Amino acid sequence: MARANQRSCTRCHRDLPTCSCGGVGPARRSARLCRGRDPGGADRISALPDDLLLQILNRLGCAAAAARTGLLSRRWRGLWTRLPDLVLREMNPGSLHAALARLVAAFELEPRARPRLLNIRAPSYRMFSPAQIASLLNAAAMLQPENLTIAVAAAVLVMLPSLDGTRSMTLDVQGVSLITPQFGDMPDLESLSLHRYDAVPFSLLRRCSALRSLSISYWRLDSITIDLPLLEELVLSATAQLRRVVIKAPRLKKLTFGAIEGVLDDFSLCYMASEVEHLSWQCASGASHVHFGDIWSLMTVTMKTSEPQGQLQRCPTSNTLSLNIFEWQFDQEEGAALSFDFEHYISSCCPIANISALELCINSSGHVYGVLVLHLLEVYTLIKRLKVDLCKFQRRECSANCPCIQLNNWSNQTVSLTHLKEMEIKGVRGEDHEIDILKVILRSAARLERVTITFKTKSKQHIRHFSNKLQRILKAHPYVKCGIYRCSGEEVVFA
């Protein structure tokens, strides 16, 4: 054991006379530690102004990490309470309560500008008590952050305090039901985002007179009403079958809507937003709910606006309707009981009627889809672009008695497609009925300019046979440009 008055090596803790590791005694300081001090021994970093130190701590992105820097120097202790962006993540209720109490105490002791951001995200497995939730919200009301984000889990009913000066608020409070006091508006609140709510406090919405952006996710009730005269952006996502949707927002510019579980048979839509420029509207349908004939079932309906690109930037936006269609064998009694056809369902659940582009994703095991496509073209005759994506699985041949073959002689019909200019079909296998649908569209669309065909099959024989047939058909339509591609993307050149 080294004697009390004998120095030890800081690396191996042996007596310095016998140490061979190159260590140094306690009298020497690391050159790295000395860089921050001037020759007089002053700590140049800690001597920086508070504003610069706060910028350094703010870049850590975590209030807890900023608080731990107080261990390095007394000068840094307590600075974290003055950060412009207060981020408190993955903290248990007790630690979070202590941190918020420290922030409120510092704010009351030395009033200063409110924080730019207060972001509180507790672990989802930590359940908060009513008192802890109330304390959290009261602390937020005391700090009055410009932007507030709270993500906690509980099963309580609490009152939401008035948040004067808060411009943006995000609440992901699973299991928490909020009520608002009788008095007290939030006139500065411009953006509100609510996640996993069983019921939106509509009294809160009515008090947000300046609200411009609203987002509601995981809506679990069958009805929803939005009546906000100044609203410009709305995002809705429902996880329950909807019965009634009311949207009254005359200044609305952007709307994103998703009905994950679809709508009920008596669904009603009241849509008053004539100035929408960016629209994304998606609605799902149960497999036995909406169908066409005895084979096809409508799974999802998506409507969206697409911005013009390139040379078409001065043209108005176009409305695209996308239908995801699956094969479904219906029972005779079930088919007779259900009369909710495609166009009835689409017109009842979608707010836009003028469709300029139609996209069909058809999932089938080999059925003839020509009559289905023809029927939809008869409904949407004003489209300018048609895209058909064929996703076939479990390839099989249909019998002579199959409903897809016994239907009317659709291949000899004609549809008025005076606006159609572009058509694309992906997943072609080179079958005769696929040539038939091309014939119908070519003779129905006098202004058609371009056709793009992409094969699903790798068989060179099928590709050559189909390409030769199509080449003979196109001789009667010399103004139509046609591109044929293999599944690899390689272009097929006519012989």
Side-chain angles (χ1 to χ4, degrees), residues 355-357 380-386 415-423 444-449:
I355 305 300
S356 55
Y380 304 102
T381 58
L382 300 180
I383 61 171
K384 298 179 181 179
R385 184 172 63 88
L386 172 65
V415 184
S416 177
L417 299 173
T418 57
H419 294 75
L420 186 63
K421 293 186 177 182
E422 182 181 350
M423 177 179 63
S444 300
R447 301 177 62 183
L448 189 64
E449 298 176 354

Side-chain angles (χ1 to χ4, degrees), residues 122-172:
S124 58
Y125 56 86
R126 295 283 190 180
M127 296 297 293
F128 282 65
S129 67
Q132 290 169 335
I133 291 289
S135 175
L136 187 156
L137 294 174
N138 290 333
M142 290 290 296
L143 297 173
Q144 297 295 340
E146 184 176 348
N147 301 288
L148 174 64
T149 297
I150 297 178
V152 296
V156 297
L157 175 68
V158 296
M159 180 173 291
L160 179 67
S162 179
L163 296 164
D164 299 331
T166 298
R167 299 181 58 187
S168 172
M169 182 164 59
T170 299
L171 300 178
D172 185 0

Side-chain angles (χ1 to χ4, degrees), residues 251-279:
R251 296 190 181 182
L252 195 65
K253 296 293 190 298
K254 184 176 182 179
L255 171 61
T256 301
F257 176 87
I260 300 174
E261 296 297 329
V263 299
L264 298 171
D265 292 353
D266 57 346
F267 174 77
S268 64
L269 171 66
C270 179
Y271 178 78
M272 300 180 185
S274 58
E275 298 184 5
V276 172
E277 299 173 354
H278 304 277
L279 171 69

Side-chain angles (χ1 to χ4, degrees), residues 44-253:
R44 294 197 298 266
I45 295 180
S46 296
L48 293 173
D50 286 356
D51 293 343
L52 289 179
L53 291 178
L54 288 173
Q55 290 185 28
I56 295 173
L57 295 180
N58 200 54
R59 291 179 179 272
L60 294 177
C62 176
R68 286 194 291 269
T69 61
L71 299 174
L72 302 177
S73 172
R74 294 180 181 178
R75 174 73 171 78
W76 295 59
R77 294 177 185 175
L79 280 177
W80 71 274
T81 62
R82 299 166 56 186
L83 290 173
D85 298 333
L86 293 167
V87 180
L88 304 170
R89 295 177 179 171
E90 303 301 318
M91 300 179 68
N92 58 52
S95 300
L96 182 59
H97 175 76
L100 291 173
R102 177 73 182 277
L103 286 170
V104 171
F107 190 79
E108 292 177 339
L109 181 64
E110 184 183 350
R112 59 179 69 93
R114 66 178 185 269
R116 186 171 53 201
L117 169 67
L118 176 60
N119 188 336
I120 300 172
R121 293 186 177 274
S124 58
Y125 56 86
R126 295 283 190 180
M127 296 297 293
F128 282 65
S129 67
Q132 290 169 335
I133 291 289
S135 175
L136 187 156
L137 294 174
N138 290 333
M142 290 290 296
L143 297 173
Q144 297 295 340
E146 184 176 348
N147 301 288
L148 174 64
T149 297
I150 297 178
V152 296
V156 297
L157 175 68
V158 296
M159 180 173 291
L160 179 67
S162 179
L163 296 164
D164 299 331
T166 298
R167 299 181 58 187
S168 172
M169 182 164 59
T170 299
L171 300 178
D172 185 0
V173 284
Q174 183 178 7
V176 179
S177 297
L178 296 177
I179 58 175
T180 56
Q182 293 183 351
F183 305 101
D185 293 344
M186 285 188 276
D188 298 323
L189 190 64
E190 297 180 355
S191 176
L192 176 62
S193 181
L194 304 174
H195 299 271
R196 290 184 288 189
Y197 261 73
D198 292 327
V200 173
F202 292 105
S203 58
L204 168 63
L205 299 183
R206 288 194 296 268
R207 293 173 181 175
C208 302
S209 57
L211 200 62
R212 300 293 192 274
S213 176
L214 175 63
S215 175
I216 303 175
S217 303
Y218 302 101
W219 179 258
R220 297 187 180 96
L221 302 181
D222 63 357
S223 299
I224 185 169
T225 300
I226 303 296
D227 187 358
L228 295 169
L230 301 181
L231 195 67
E232 297 179 359
E233 181 176 356
L234 176 61
V235 178
L236 294 176
S237 178
T239 56
Q241 283 191 310
L242 292 174
R243 186 181 306 275
R244 185 169 181 265
V245 174
V246 178
I247 300 175
K248 297 180 181 179
R251 296 190 181 182
L252 195 65
K253 296 293 190 298

Side-chain angles (χ1 to χ4, degrees), residues 385-389 422-426 450-454:
R385 184 172 63 88
L386 172 65
K387 179 180 179 180
V388 181
D389 193 352
E422 182 181 350
M423 177 179 63
E424 179 183 0
I425 302 181
K426 298 179 63 177
R450 180 167 181 81
V451 175
T452 303
I453 305 294
T454 303

Side-chain angles (χ1 to χ4, degrees), residues 408-452:
N408 294 330
N409 189 11
W410 59 270
S411 60
N412 294 326
Q413 298 181 21
T414 302
V415 184
S416 177
L417 299 173
T418 57
H419 294 75
L420 186 63
K421 293 186 177 182
E422 182 181 350
M423 177 179 63
E424 179 183 0
I425 302 181
K426 298 179 63 177
V428 171
R429 291 184 178 271
E431 300 173 359
D432 290 339
H433 70 89
E434 293 173 330
I435 283 287
D436 292 338
I437 189 62
L438 287 171
K439 289 181 180 179
V440 173
I441 296 176
L442 285 170
R443 66 169 174 260
S444 300
R447 301 177 62 183
L448 189 64
E449 298 176 354
R450 180 167 181 81
V451 175
T452 303

